[in-house]
Amino acid sequence: MEKRPSTSKGSKKRLRRFLLRYYPPGIILEYEHKGKRRTKPIDLLDLSEHTDVEVLINVIIRQEPLISERRRPILRSLIEKLSSKLETKSTGNYSLAKVLQAHILPLTNCAFNKSGSQFITGSYDRTCKLWDTETGKEVLKLDGHKNVVYAIAFNNPFGDRIATGSFDKLCNIWDAKTGKLLHTLQGHSKEIVCVSFDTQGDVLATGSTDNTAILWDAENGKTLHVLEAHSAELVSLHFNTDGNLLVTGSFDNTAVIWDVTTGQRMHVLEGHSGEISSTQFNFAGDLVVSGSIDSTVKIWDVPTGKCVNTLEGHEDEILDVCFNSTGSLIASGSADGTTRIFSTMTGQQKHCLAGHDGEISKVSFNPQGTLLITASSDKTVRVWEVETGKCLNVLTGHTDEIFSCAFNYDGSTIITGSKDNTCRIWTRDEEKN
């Protein structure tokens, strides 16, 4: 039997609360250590209706020093909740719930908080706005940038901080509850085009057309590391699940994997013959996917930095790529008007999703991995069934190009952002008995 790890008095960790992660299944422990808030995941990727819950609880309590025997009832309740959620089937039928005249100038981006109760929009009007998803009401207007607010992010899973990156070369960190400006981060010499918090909310990464990324301490706003390796502007950055690695994608045809703690470059991912458009880690953090204007998608092994597969089939630039929540599938959206779904393990194409009349700028799986949404310049978003490749729903109504679409945490709501200055909220139709 494994010995239970011990903690010394000086490094005492205090469990604050449990957070559920439905997709992929897991329980997040939020705890305090030396006065700082931390999170630690317990991954339950193999959970199913056949799992012996009591055996699983015994294993967790034995192996996890933060969880004492007296927490057994709440642990049982959480695991049963996760199991029941896995059995819930999602329909592909969504209907328009709200149209938000969000900004006076075109939107640049939109993003949900973890629960999906709120979302943010950035705009050419130099502001970021916080919205209530259910009511469609504006909650906060974050005003202070002197140019386009191009990149926006919540510090999920907490959702109490918002970062806004602007063409004014600055990144602001705001209090999501009060709208108070907490920090203005100065360091880039050109436009900021991407921002992301790590999963602990401790580190913020910004990427710029000045060819660099910068890692910042999100608590005090100080520079941690300036990441210099690219010879052209950055267009993409993404933390792994553990928050100890960052991948950046650039117009110099390469992606780079960085050690977040040291700021050191670990691997340069070389092989594309055109500019990188999108990069992402899988959930496990052992693979990176990259899309390029060379019309290919590449899968990279993180420990070695080697390309393990090149996914072909598109006839024009790849504009977006993403993994599903478990990392078993990859979707790619292209300027050729199609989306393709590939098996991560084999690299085989499972489906070519055709139907849009324009380029596809954004692709996103629902949390369950059963649906995929695609946003297009043809002014529509399509909802596809992943298993069959069938189009289940076409979301119409926008009057200009759609560049952003996202599911909320349980997949019941979709937000779409368009160059028509509006943001639309779509909700899943109730299942008919």
Side-chain angles (χ1 to χ4, degrees):
M1 185 177 290
E2 279 186 60
K3 281 187 72 178
R4 185 180 170 84
S6 60
T7 53
S8 65
K9 272 189 177 174
S11 62
K12 185 79 171 167
K13 298 174 182 177
R14 187 169 66 85
L15 183 64
R16 291 181 60 187
R17 59 175 174 159
F18 294 92
L19 302 169
L20 274 181
R21 188 192 66 211
Y22 288 114
Y23 313 108
I27 296 169
I28 311 295
L29 308 179
E30 186 180 305
Y31 65 94
E32 268 184 24
H33 185 221
K34 297 180 179 177
K36 293 199 81 173
R37 179 179 60 182
R38 301 281 177 190
T39 61
K40 180 180 183 181
I42 299 173
D43 296 328
L44 304 173
L45 303 187
D46 298 324
L47 185 67
S48 74
E49 66 265 32
H50 306 299
T51 301
D52 187 319
V53 174
E54 291 307 317
V55 170
L56 180 57
I57 291 170
N58 289 339
V59 171
I60 292 171
I61 291 175
R62 188 173 71 245
Q63 294 182 355
E64 178 47 63
L66 281 169
I67 302 177
S68 62
E69 179 63 36
R70 69 184 179 87
R71 303 279 191 174
R72 181 180 288 269
I74 190 170
L75 202 54
R76 182 184 299 113
S77 168
L78 292 171
I79 292 172
E80 287 171 351
K81 232 181 199 181
L82 285 173
S83 293
S84 65
K85 200 76 172 181
L86 291 176
E87 295 163 23
T88 307
K89 302 294 182 194
S90 57
T91 168
N93 296 317
Y94 290 79
S95 300
L96 182 64
K98 300 267 187 327
V99 179
L100 310 181
Q101 298 294 329
H103 293 269
I104 57 172
L105 291 174
L107 280 73
T108 55
N109 230 317
C110 51
F112 278 112
N113 66 354
K114 180 176 177 287
S115 69
S117 62
Q118 296 182 320
F119 66 93
I120 47 177
T121 54
S123 171
Y124 278 83
D125 69 8
R126 307 180 180 188
T127 70
C128 173
K129 291 184 179 181
L130 176 69
W131 305 86
D132 181 281
T133 306
E134 189 176 348
T135 64
K137 301 289 188 191
E138 181 182 317
V139 179
L140 291 172
K141 181 180 179 182
L142 308 179
D143 200 349
H145 284 291
K146 294 182 168 59
N147 209 325
V148 176
V149 174
Y150 193 76
I152 54 178
F154 276 105
N155 66 332
N156 290 334
F158 309 108
D160 58 358
R161 297 285 183 271
I162 295 167
T164 55
S166 170
F167 285 1
D168 65 9
K169 311 172 195 173
L170 303 176
C171 180
N172 287 339
I173 299 178
W174 312 79
D175 186 310
K177 302 286 188 289
T178 66
K180 181 184 177 185
L181 177 60
L182 301 174
H183 302 291
T184 295
L185 312 179
Q186 295 180 281
H188 285 292
S189 59
K190 289 185 179 177
E191 296 95 336
I192 294 174
V193 292
C194 39
V195 299
S196 182
F197 284 96
D198 77 334
T199 50
Q200 296 285 345
D202 294 334
V203 179
L204 175 70
T206 56
S208 169
T209 59
D210 66 8
N211 307 354
T212 73
I214 299 179
L215 297 175
W216 312 84
D217 185 312
E219 193 61 37
N220 60 30
K222 292 183 178 173
T223 304
L224 297 173
H225 303 289
V226 178
L227 309 182
E228 297 177 294
H230 290 292
S231 58
E233 63 190 76
L234 271 69
V235 290
S236 170
L237 50 77
H238 189 251
F239 283 99
N240 67 345
T241 305
D242 292 338
N244 63 323
L245 298 177
L246 180 80
V247 62
T248 54
S250 168
F251 278 180
D252 66 7
N253 303 2
T254 73
V256 175
I257 297 174
W258 306 86
D259 183 305
V260 171
T261 305
T262 64
Q264 294 299 303
R265 179 178 63 191
M266 287 183 58
H267 300 295
V268 179
L269 310 182
E270 294 182 288
H272 281 294
S273 60
E275 298 167 354
I276 305 288
S277 56
S278 181
T279 55
Q280 191 183 35
F281 282 99
N282 66 342
F283 178 77
D286 57 347
L287 296 175
V288 161
V289 65
S290 60
S292 167
I293 68 165
D294 68 8
S295 308
T296 71
V297 175
K298 288 183 181 287
I299 303 173
W300 309 84
D301 178 68
V302 170
T304 64
K306 303 294 185 191
C307 178
V308 294
N309 223 328
T310 299
L311 313 180
E312 298 179 323
H314 283 293
E315 298 171 359
D316 207 337
E317 304 175 5
I318 309 289
L319 301 178
D320 195 31
V321 292
C322 70
F323 283 104
N324 65 351
S325 65
T326 60
S328 61
L329 297 175
I330 292 168
S332 56
S334 169
D336 67 11
T338 71
T339 296
R340 290 165 197 259
I341 299 175
F342 298 92
S343 163
T344 305
M345 184 177 289
T346 66
Q348 291 298 305
Q349 179 181 301
K350 297 179 83 70
H351 300 294
C352 176
L353 311 179
H356 282 294
D357 293 326
E359 67 180 32
I360 294 164
S361 57
K362 187 72 179 171
V363 293
S364 182
F365 285 97
N366 71 338
Q368 297 90 333
T370 56
L371 303 175
L372 181 80
I373 50 175
T374 54
S376 172
S377 60
D378 70 5
K379 309 171 191 174
T380 71
V381 164
R382 286 178 175 252
V383 183
W384 309 84
E385 187 174 49
V386 170
E387 188 177 349
T388 64
K390 284 170 55 178
C391 180
L392 302 177
N393 211 186
V394 182
L395 309 183
T396 61
H398 281 295
T399 58
D400 206 337
E401 177 179 340
I402 302 170
F403 54 82
S404 185
C405 61
F407 282 101
N408 71 336
Y409 186 60
D410 66 2
S412 63
T413 305
I414 295 169
I415 48 171
T416 56
S418 168
K419 287 185 178 175
D420 65 11
N421 303 7
T422 71
C423 190
R424 289 174 179 244
I425 303 173
W426 313 79
T427 53
R428 187 171 61 212
D429 297 346
E430 291 301 318
E431 296 272 14
K432 305 241 183 340
N433 293 325

